[in-house]
Amino acid sequence: MEQIYKPQKVTIITVVYNAVNTIEGTIQSVINQTYKNLEYIIIDGGSTDGTLQVIEKYRSRINSFISEPDKGIGDGFNKGISMAAGEWIGMINADDWYAEDAVENMMLNISKDDFVCCGNIRLIGGNGTERDKKSKVSWLNFGMYIMHPSCFVRRSVYRNVGNYDIGLRIAMDFDMFLRIKRFGYSIKYIDKVIAYMRTDGVSNDTAKMHREELKVMRRHLHGVNYMLSYLFNYLNRLRWRFFYKDPFRKPMSLQA
């Protein structure tokens, strides 16, 4: 594929807290990228479980690293962005990992007129189930249907739209991308698997997630757009509560 535009540098940020069992795979997926003009930043929230010892093994391949208490994932994102020198910024957290050619695929498919791009992720279940999940840019008003680990954003965009909201514990990425949309930036979709995310079942607090999404919707959407998003959110809560069957959950005999 002919390369359209190649930025000088891409910054990858990993935010981590007590992820000794998964951080090594995340780090390896970054330092082994086929695209070599990378800056790698790790923001640790003060891990106490051996995570720091794993990071130290790769310290020579990490451009910047800090470990200190923080105010959550959004705070870690903001710290990493403030330290970034790359023209583009990607974020991959300690439970996820990149495809080997993730950064190259994204950079080969953007032009000088693109400011935000996203792709797909592959969900990996503890029971062996795998499923690709595509970013749906046109669905953004209804929730975070853009796969955050697959996103790359120009540093100038973050400078213009401001920081991640550290008051949000789950929906800070939804808030950020609605803000990006509100500022008039288009989001380019690239139909490639960019990142992998492991899941052993629905462990997140989905009720809190939906409440935070509603808060974000009220902040950014108005009139008919808000009413449609509210209705979608309500129906989605019902689906999760009464009808959703988790395909990634381990068999009961393996959960004891």
Side-chain angles (χ1 to χ4, degrees):
M1 182 184 298
E2 181 181 355
Q3 187 163 340
I4 301 171
Y5 177 64
K6 182 179 178 180
Q8 289 188 332
K9 182 179 289 186
V10 177
T11 297
I12 304 298
I13 298 168
T14 293
V15 174
V16 56
Y17 177 71
N18 283 349
V20 67
N21 293 325
T22 58
I23 184 62
E24 188 163 27
T26 304
I27 293 172
Q28 289 178 345
S29 79
V30 175
I31 65 177
N32 292 326
Q33 283 293 301
T34 56
Y35 188 94
K36 298 304 181 184
N37 197 2
L38 295 179
E39 173 188 52
Y40 191 24
I41 297 172
I42 295 182
I43 307 296
D44 177 77
S47 293
T48 58
D49 67 340
T51 294
L52 300 183
Q53 287 73 20
V54 176
I55 294 172
E56 189 59 33
K57 289 169 55 178
Y58 299 94
R59 191 64 185 85
S60 63
R61 305 291 300 276
I62 299 166
N63 298 90
S64 299
F65 166 62
I66 60 173
S67 179
E68 61 186 19
D70 58 33
K71 298 177 182 178
I73 296 174
D75 192 24
F77 289 160
N78 293 336
K79 289 178 182 180
I81 292 168
S82 70
M83 298 165 64
E87 184 172 349
W88 286 83
I89 297 175
M91 297 182 179
I92 191 78
N93 291 341
D95 289 329
D96 312 327
W97 67 99
Y98 278 133
E100 185 180 23
D101 56 356
V103 181
E104 185 172 16
N105 265 329
M106 299 306 270
M107 294 301 106
L108 284 173
N109 283 282
I110 55 95
S111 75
K112 60 183 177 62
D113 298 318
D114 294 320
F115 287 83
V116 186
C117 56
C118 63
N120 307 326
I121 63 172
R122 180 164 295 164
L123 300 174
I124 310 293
N127 60 358
T129 299
E130 296 186 8
R131 185 178 70 185
D132 289 356
K133 194 168 185 180
K134 296 190 174 187
S135 290
K136 299 176 181 178
V137 175
S138 62
W139 288 37
L140 183 58
N141 280 4
F142 303 120
M144 188 55 182
Y145 285 93
I146 295 176
M147 304 299 107
H148 196 223
S150 77
C151 294
F152 288 78
V153 179
R154 284 188 191 268
R155 183 161 49 99
S156 61
V157 174
Y158 285 125
R159 188 165 57 242
N160 290 339
V161 305
N163 289 337
Y164 283 83
D165 183 351
I166 63 174
L168 298 169
R169 311 301 292 181
I170 299 174
M172 76 288 293
D173 50 359
F174 181 37
D175 175 74
M176 173 58 73
F177 278 82
L178 275 183
R179 209 182 323 153
I180 285 172
K181 180 181 175 181
R182 194 185 73 204
F183 270 70
Y185 293 105
S186 61
I187 302 171
K188 183 171 186 175
Y189 170 65
I190 297 169
D191 191 9
K192 301 277 188 180
V193 173
I194 300 303
Y196 298 85
M197 178 182 294
R198 61 174 57 84
T199 172
D200 292 328
V202 181
S203 57
N204 290 330
D205 186 341
T206 56
K208 183 175 181 180
M209 176 185 72
H210 288 130
R211 286 196 301 271
E212 283 203 353
E213 285 182 343
L214 278 176
K215 180 178 179 180
V216 171
M217 289 171 185
R218 285 193 295 269
R219 180 181 296 174
H220 295 289
L221 304 176
H222 307 283
V224 174
N225 284 335
Y226 173 71
M227 293 304 297
L228 289 174
S229 297
Y230 177 89
L231 178 60
F232 185 94
N233 184 280
Y234 175 73
L235 294 174
N236 208 24
R237 276 181 282 164
L238 293 180
R239 181 180 72 90
W240 275 87
R241 184 173 181 181
F242 296 111
F243 302 107
Y244 184 75
K245 294 183 179 180
D246 179 13
F248 298 100
R249 191 172 297 280
K250 293 178 181 179
M252 291 300 294
S253 61
L254 300 181
Q255 295 186 50

